[in-house]
Amino acid sequence: MSLLPWTIYLSFAGAFVALIAGARCKCAARVTALVFSLAALGVTAFAAFDFTPGPALQTLVNVPWIPQLGVSYHLAADGISLTLVVLTGIASVAGILFSWNIEENVGEFFALYLGLIGGVYGVFLSADAFVLFVFYEIAIVPKYFLIAKWGSTNREYGAMKLVLYSFIGSALVMAGLLWAFASAATILKANGYAPSFSLSVIAQVAVQFSHAQQLGMFALVFTGFAVLAGMFPFHTWAPTGHVAAPTAASMLLAGVVMKLGAYGCLRVAIPLFTEGYAAFAPVIGWLAVIGIVYAGLVALVQEDFKFVIGYSSVSHMGFVLLGLAAGNLASLGGAVLQMFSHGIIAGLLFAVVGRMVYERTHTRNLADLTAMPLHKLMPFAAVVFVLAGLASMGMPGFSGFPAELSILVGAWKTSHIWTLVAACGVLIAGAFTLKVVHVSFFGKANVFEGSQDKARAAISAIPHSEIRIPHSSLPPITWPEKIGALILVASMIIIGVKPGLLLNWINPALESPAFQAAMNALKGGL
């Protein structure tokens, strides 16, 4: 476990080396990024085998940073942190493999990419509120440049909207944390202790905050983090950002960046401000189920392939927020498992749509794609998308099933109505997934009964102005793409078959005094 901080250091070092290597050779930048991301994943795997689950955060590093303000460079991990660090490692490697085609400013691209990954690792390992916020901001900044420079449709608008939403959320988080720190410092000084930004210290002192303070602090911190988690009605940045982003950035946005917001809600807002949590849980629950159904219905009527996946991502993140609102062991454990599952599945869906399909057909319009029998032109992409679609629908045998089932079981204990509405969202997810699979990959198959040559010849007759496909063939799926896809497919199947691999880490962490206090407060509040 003591090696986990090296995931941060390797990512930042890789960003620096990739930037230098890219100035000389594009291939060197790609290989550098892959080597450093694989090294970070290897460190994570080694730490996972060495990990002993328990209720307490296990300190990795704790040294004074700004002692005058009570800030320490304190990194720690438990089963929740480790689960999301593993997700980040897998997503980062897959994203690099799906970015092997980047040709413009390759060094800068991978430098920003690895810088973002380093910030994500830092958030998941931070046990000091100030340090967590610093890493959180580090993870936000590269997103703008990745989208604005290497994105596609309305990339400047998408990048600016995403960053503005992110910074507004960050401002709310900062206001809440500074308020909590100042209030805790007053109490600590009155008792002869130095002020501290330590999350555990603030949680211990926060029980002495007034009810009004608890409500205000929780509202600021939870809302600020929930913006990045895509909570309705603050979700509109997500589909726009996903569509504008290059493939790897889309994979990271859906795969790990949205998880930063959900993790902040779980790690910071809920255990620190338990009274506020109990008071606002009903509101969060209703916003979650509204988001599940609303985003699913919007996905159902979209004509842009990537927008379908973007809104489905918002819908599935609603299950995470529902698990947090339900506030029991089953729902919270399911919420963390859903963070992992959605990170893998959404990353795979965006990889197929953005890299395999769009980069070859130059269209995301379903009306155009339905005239192409992509299951014949790109059978590997079709198989992978069908598997990812089944996982997204919550099919048994894939990671989405145990995650959503745990959330629904936990939600049933809290609110039957929430559960029934969320179950409708599952049905809607099945509808838009089956629709997009049929339309995009198995469109008007009767038109193309015969050889691939007939299928490809038909593409040339499509009038859509954006389609620029060589009539004879589509570029084959590359080996980096195949390897990246297989990594993600294997991950969602392994956890689908054996979810205990992660739940055996997650559930002991939820037995910590801080989480137990939050769950007990919710029982009294509901």
Side-chain angles (χ1 to χ4, degrees), residues 303-306 353-354 357-370 372 374 459 462 464-469:
E303 292 300 324
D304 185 301
F305 203 173
K306 215 172 181 184
V353 175
V357 175
Y358 179 71
E359 291 289 338
R360 289 168 172 81
T361 65
H362 299 284
T363 182
R364 298 189 305 262
N365 190 292
L366 293 178
D368 294 335
L369 294 174
T370 193
M372 306 178 200
L374 293 182
I459 295 173
I462 298 173
H464 197 282
S465 60
E466 292 186 5
I467 301 179
R468 303 181 300 276
I469 306 172

Side-chain angles (χ1 to χ4, degrees), residues 181-197 201-202 205 208:
F181 169 77
S183 301
T186 300
I187 297 172
L188 288 169
K189 288 179 179 179
N191 289 276
Y193 296 99
S196 175
F197 269 100
V201 172
I202 295 175
V205 178
Q208 301 180 50

Side-chain angles (χ1 to χ4, degrees), residues 223-239:
T223 303
F225 280 124
V227 169
L228 196 58
M231 184 177 76
F232 178 89
F234 312 113
H235 65 284
T236 58
W237 66 266

Side-chain angles (χ1 to χ4, degrees), residues 117-207:
I117 291 295
V120 171
Y121 278 129
V123 170
F124 292 147
L125 294 176
S126 294
D128 182 281
F130 187 90
V131 174
L132 185 149
F133 187 80
V134 169
F135 280 123
Y136 191 78
E137 294 300 294
I138 290 174
I140 288 175
V141 174
K143 293 187 299 183
Y144 174 83
F145 296 101
L146 286 171
I147 297 173
K149 178 68 175 177
W150 291 274
S152 55
T153 308
N154 293 325
R155 59 188 182 182
E156 291 86 1
Y157 171 75
M160 184 58 68
K161 184 174 183 179
L162 185 153
V163 171
L164 285 176
Y165 269 73
S166 299
F167 279 133
I168 290 171
S170 297
L172 295 176
V173 171
M174 176 184 286
L177 290 179
L178 289 177
W179 186 6
F181 169 77
S183 301
T186 300
I187 297 172
L188 288 169
K189 288 179 179 179
N191 289 276
Y193 296 99
S196 175
F197 269 100
S198 169
L199 291 174
S200 60
V201 172
I202 295 175
Q204 292 171 11
V205 178
V207 296

Side-chain angles (χ1 to χ4, degrees), residues 51 241 270:
F51 176 64
I270 289 175

